[in-house]
Amino acid sequence: MTPPDTGREAPRPGRFQWYRTHPLVFDAVVAVCALAAILCGSVVNRHVPGGPRLAAHPPEPAAVVLAVLACAALVLRRRAPRTVLAVTAALALVELVTEAGHSRAPVAGAAVLALFTLAARTDRPTTWRIGALTAVGLTAAAMLYGPRPWYVQENVAIFAWMGMAAATGDAVRSRRAYIDAIRERAERAERTREEEARRRVAEERMRIARDLHDVVAHHIALVNVQAGVASHVMDTRPDQAKQALAHVREASRSALGELRATVGLLRQSDDPTAPTEPAPGLGVLDHLVDGFVRAGLPVDLQVPPSAQGLPASVDLTAYRIVQEALTNVRKHAGDGARAVVRIVRSEATLTVTVLDDGAGRPPVPRGRGAADDGEPGGGHGLIGMRERAQALRGTVVTGARPSGGFQVRATLPLQPARTEETPL
C-alpha cells in the first residue's frame, strides 16, 4: 500500500541518519575536523597589517601534541562528557601556560566542543556551573600568560566562545527534550485512542449481548411455556392445544422480528436493508404484558399517562427491565403466581417496580437469569438490568419480599449527567 503524501520527503537513513547508528565514527570525524581547524589556526597570523598571513614561526611540537591529545579525547565526548571536558580544559591550560610568547595552537577549541557536548547532554545547572568554572579558568590563564595587553581579543575570545558553546548546547538539549515530549504525547495519545476504541467495542459487544439475551430469554420462555401447555392438553383438549400453538407461533415471529432489528444494528449505516423500526418502549408495554397473560401469568399493569414522552434511552431501558423481570417471574415464581408492574414518573426520575407474590412455589434465589432453567451456572438477567441502569446513572435493587415473592425496583434519571447513548 502506498504511504500517504505528507508534502515533504522522508529522511533517508543511509544518507542523513547514519550518524545515529554510528555515533563513534561521527565523533571521530568531528575530532579530525577539530584538529584540522586547530592546526590551521596555529599557522595563521590574523593580527598583521594587510590581513591574515602565515605565521613566521610554526607551532611548537609540544603544542601540536597537546592539540592531538585534546582532539583524540573528543572521540569519547558523548560517553564521558565531564571527563572529556576536564581533559581538554587541562590540555588547553597547559598549552596556554607553556606556549606564551610563541605562535601557539588554539587547543582551547577542543574544550569549546567538549563544553558544548556537556551542555547538550546534562542539565542546565550543571552546564552553567562547570562551564563558568572552565571559562573563567582558561580566560584567566590566557590573560596572565597570553599576549599583552591582557584584554586583547585573543584572550577575551576564549570566554566568549565558552559562553556561546554552553548556550548553544543548552538550546540543543532543550529542543531535544521538547521533541521527545511531543513524541511521547503523540504516542500516549495513540495508545489512548486505541484503548478507547477497544473499550467502546467491548461496550457495544456487551450491549448487543444484553439485548440478545433479553429478546431470546423472553420469547423462548413464552414458547417453552406454551409448548408445554400444548403437549399437556393435546389429547384431551385439542382446541386449547391449537390456541397454545398459535401463541408459540406468534412469540416465535416476535422473537425473529426483534432479532432481525438487533442484528441490523451491526450493519453499515448505508445498508439499504437495515431495519428502521423504532426501538420498543413503554408505549408498547401492553403488548408485552398480553404475551405473559396468554402464557398464564396474570399481570397488573399500572402505567400513568405521564410515562409517555420519555428520553429514548430511558424508555428502552425501562421496557427491557420490565421484560426481563416478568420473564424471571414466569420462570421462577411458578404456576399460579401473580405479578404487578408499577411505573412512577417524577420530575427527575422514572421508577420501575415489578413484584410477584411467589404463590406458585417456595422462593427460589433469583440471582439467575431468565434463560437459566435450572442448569449449572447462572444467567445474566439481573446483571443485564444493573448494567442498563448504570449506563444511565441509575440503580436497580432486587431481593425477596417479606410477605413472599420477589421484587425488582429500578430508578432511572430522566436527565443523565453525561451524553445519552441508547443502550441496546
Side-chain angles (χ1 to χ4, degrees):
M1 184 174 62
T2 304
D5 186 9
T6 58
R8 59 180 180 180
E9 184 181 0
R12 299 179 183 177
R15 294 178 56 186
F16 302 102
Q17 303 294 327
W18 64 270
Y19 63 89
R20 296 184 182 273
T21 56
H22 304 85
L24 195 63
V25 176
F26 178 77
D27 290 339
V29 173
V30 171
V32 172
C33 294
L35 178 62
I38 291 174
L39 294 179
C40 290
S42 64
V43 298
V44 175
N45 190 349
R46 299 180 300 276
H47 305 288
V48 295
R53 296 180 181 179
L54 293 177
H57 302 283
E60 295 291 336
V64 175
V65 172
L66 292 175
V68 171
L69 293 177
C71 291
L74 292 177
V75 177
L76 303 176
R77 63 192 180 94
R78 300 195 196 190
R79 297 185 178 182
R82 298 191 185 190
T83 303
V84 171
L85 177 60
V87 171
T88 55
L91 294 174
L93 184 62
V94 171
E95 190 270 338
L96 289 172
V97 173
T98 59
E99 296 298 322
H102 301 278
S103 176
R104 60 176 183 264
V107 181
V112 170
L113 285 176
L115 180 58
F116 166 81
T117 304
L118 178 71
R121 303 184 72 84
T122 59
D123 56 279
R124 182 170 298 174
T126 301
T127 297
W128 292 113
R129 184 172 61 252
I130 298 179
L133 179 63
T134 305
V136 171
L138 294 181
T139 303
M143 290 180 177
L144 290 175
Y145 299 98
R148 294 292 182 268
W150 60 269
Y151 52 82
V152 295
Q153 181 180 355
E154 292 183 17
N155 298 335
V156 178
I158 295 178
F159 187 85
W161 279 104
M162 287 289 180
M164 286 190 294
T168 305
D170 184 72
V172 170
R173 180 194 58 78
S174 299
R175 178 169 177 79
R176 286 175 180 171
Y178 175 73
I179 293 175
D180 291 341
I182 292 177
R183 184 180 297 110
E184 182 182 358
R185 285 197 297 269
E187 293 174 354
R188 186 167 58 249
E190 183 66 23
R191 290 194 300 269
T192 303
R193 285 194 294 269
E194 293 176 356
E195 293 173 359
E196 178 69 14
R198 287 194 293 268
R199 184 186 66 82
R200 289 182 176 273
V201 169
E203 288 182 354
E204 289 303 317
R205 292 177 60 185
M206 184 62 67
R207 290 174 180 175
I208 294 173
R210 285 198 302 265
D211 203 47
L212 289 175
H213 170 271
D214 291 345
V215 172
V216 172
H218 164 63
H219 291 290
I220 295 303
L222 296 182
V223 168
N224 181 53
V225 171
Q226 296 293 347
V229 171
S231 176
H232 181 69
V233 300
M234 180 67 70
D235 297 331
T236 58
R237 285 175 288 179
D239 293 340
Q240 187 175 354
K242 183 177 181 180
Q243 184 180 6
L245 292 176
H247 292 160
V248 168
R249 180 180 180 183
E250 182 180 353
S252 301
R253 185 185 300 110
S254 299
L256 289 175
E258 291 199 33
L259 285 174
R260 188 180 299 109
T262 302
V263 174
L265 295 175
L266 302 178
R267 298 178 178 175
Q268 298 180 359
S269 59
D270 56 351
D271 191 341
T273 63
T276 58
E277 296 86 354
L282 298 182
V284 295
L285 192 59
D286 53 345
H287 299 292
L288 175 68
V289 171
D290 288 342
F292 283 100
V293 172
R294 289 195 299 268
L297 175 64
V299 179
D300 181 12
L301 182 60
Q302 303 174 10
V303 181
S306 59
Q308 304 299 324
L310 296 170
S313 57
V314 177
D315 196 21
L316 176 59
T317 299
Y319 178 87
R320 292 302 188 194
I321 289 176
V322 173
Q323 183 184 51
E324 179 63 28
L326 290 178
T327 303
N328 282 345
V329 172
R330 188 67 189 86
K331 292 290 293 183
H332 298 287
D335 297 333
R338 301 181 63 87
V340 176
V341 177
R342 184 182 302 115
I343 297 177
V344 178
R345 178 178 182 177
S346 64
E347 294 182 358
T349 61
L350 181 74
T351 303
V352 179
T353 305
V354 180
L355 309 172
D356 71 84
D357 55 11
R361 55 181 169 179
V364 178
R366 299 293 182 87
R368 309 161 72 88
D372 206 2
D373 198 18
E375 303 87 350
H380 303 280
L382 299 182
I383 296 176
M385 292 185 195
R386 294 190 179 96
E387 289 177 348
R388 290 181 180 276
Q390 290 172 1
L392 301 177
R393 301 290 178 90
T395 58
V396 172
V397 178
T398 62
R401 302 173 61 193
S403 59
F406 200 81
Q407 71 171 353
V408 174
R409 183 183 301 274
T411 303
L412 307 176
L414 296 181
Q415 297 179 350
R418 61 179 180 178
T419 303
E420 294 183 358
E421 295 180 0
T422 302
L424 299 179

